[in-house]
Amino acid sequence: MAARQPAITSLKDQGIIGENNSGFLEFLGSKKDASTVAEENRDRGMVYDAIAKKQGVDAALVGARRAKMNAERGPKGHWFEKADGKWYKK
C-alpha cells in the first residue's frame, strides 16, 4: 500500500479519483491506472475486514469511519463523497 501512495496521490491531485463514503477509492472520470486503484481498494478491504473482526463490528462500519477520517484529514483540492452520496471538492 505504501508503495502505491505516490500514484494514488497523483490521481487524486488530477481529480481522477476521490475517496468515497465507504472508505474506498472511486473514479470520477477516466479510469487511468485502474489496476492501481483496484489493488488499493482490495488491500483496504482486507484491512477493514481485519479491523472489523478484531472489534466485533461490520467491515462496512470500519470503512465508513475511515471515509470520515479521510475527508477530515484530506488536503484541499481532493474529492470526497458525503454520507448522502454527494461529491465535493475540499
Side-chain angles (χ1 to χ4, degrees), residues 2-90:
R4 281 192 298 273
Q5 198 55 47
I8 297 295
T9 300
S10 176
L11 292 169
K12 287 179 178 180
D13 289 344
Q14 296 173 60
I16 294 172
I17 61 172
E19 293 279 350
N20 71 20
N21 61 13
S22 298
F24 293 97
L25 300 173
E26 190 169 319
F27 285 99
L28 303 171
S30 73
K31 296 204 174 184
K32 182 180 177 183
D33 286 337
S35 63
T36 300
V37 172
E39 289 171 11
E40 179 69 17
N41 282 337
R42 183 197 69 231
D43 288 349
R44 287 184 182 197
M46 290 172 31
V47 169
Y48 298 162
D49 287 342
I51 293 169
K53 185 176 181 181
K54 185 176 181 180
Q55 295 180 349
V57 298
D58 187 68
L61 176 62
V62 175
R65 287 176 182 164
R66 182 64 182 184
K68 184 177 180 199
M69 187 170 41
N70 289 342
E72 291 170 354
R73 295 181 180 174
K76 286 185 176 184
H78 287 191
W79 287 89
F80 301 92
E81 183 183 26
K82 294 180 181 181
D84 66 5
K86 293 180 182 173
W87 286 88
Y88 68 98
K89 188 174 187 179
K90 191 171 182 184

